Amino acid sequence: QVQLVESGGGLVQPGGSLRLSCAASRSVFTMYNMGWYRQFVENQRELVAQISSGNNTNYADSVKGRFIISRENAKKVYLQMNNLKPEDTAVYYCHVDHGLFRNDWGQGTQVTVSS
């Protein structure tokens, strides 16, 4: 129903920063809640940050104060990641948090934090 493409990941040193981008094929990000998730090896995806159509935001305790989710428009969402830690290493995905798009996941973007 919607195609999602994540980008911006890479290899960074602890304490570094990255900005992840999510591009959608349809104008959905202003209509529904949007979330960033991450998947560790041998684990399910976990919610990292979420932004509502009214711009309310929620963050996982582990990233609060370090990550910022924002929306540029209905097709572009970002995740600013600051003060990265090795435990942030994961594949990051964006997602439209509505049942209609439950199975619509992109390929994700790899974030590796290592010294």
Side-chain angles (χ1 to χ4, degrees), residues 4-6 91-93 105-110:
L4 301 169
V5 179
E6 301 92 343
V91 178
Y92 285 73
Y93 302 85
W105 298 91
Q107 294 300 117
T109 185
Q110 175 73 48

Side-chain angles (χ1 to χ4, degrees), residues 55-66:
N55 287 332
N56 291 318
T57 58
N58 290 295
Y59 298 92
D61 288 342
S62 59
V63 308
K64 194 170 298 181
R66 299 188 297 121

Side-chain angles (χ1 to χ4, degrees), residues 41-99:
V41 175
E42 299 181 349
N43 281 279
Q44 298 298 112
R45 297 183 184 94
E46 66 174 29
L47 180 65
V48 174
Q50 186 174 251
I51 185 167
S52 73
S53 59
N55 287 332
N56 291 318
T57 58
N58 290 295
Y59 298 92
D61 288 342
S62 59
V63 308
K64 194 170 298 181
R66 299 188 297 121
F67 292 8
I68 303 171
I69 186 172
S70 62
R71 174 174 52 244
E72 177 177 302
N73 53 47
K75 293 184 176 181
K76 195 79 169 185
V77 177
Y78 300 104
L79 183 68
Q80 178 66 47
M81 309 167 68
N82 300 315
N83 192 24
L84 284 160
K85 304 176 179 180
E87 52 263 44
D88 295 319
T89 296
V91 178
Y92 285 73
Y93 302 85
C94 59
H95 187 256
V96 182
D97 292 340
H98 190 278

Side-chain angles (χ1 to χ4, degrees), residues 23-39:
S25 63
R26 299 176 182 272
S27 299
V28 291
F29 293 156
T30 55
M31 300 172 63
Y32 308 99
N33 293 346
M34 180 275 164
W36 279 99
Y37 296 74
R38 63 187 177 187
Q39 184 173 17

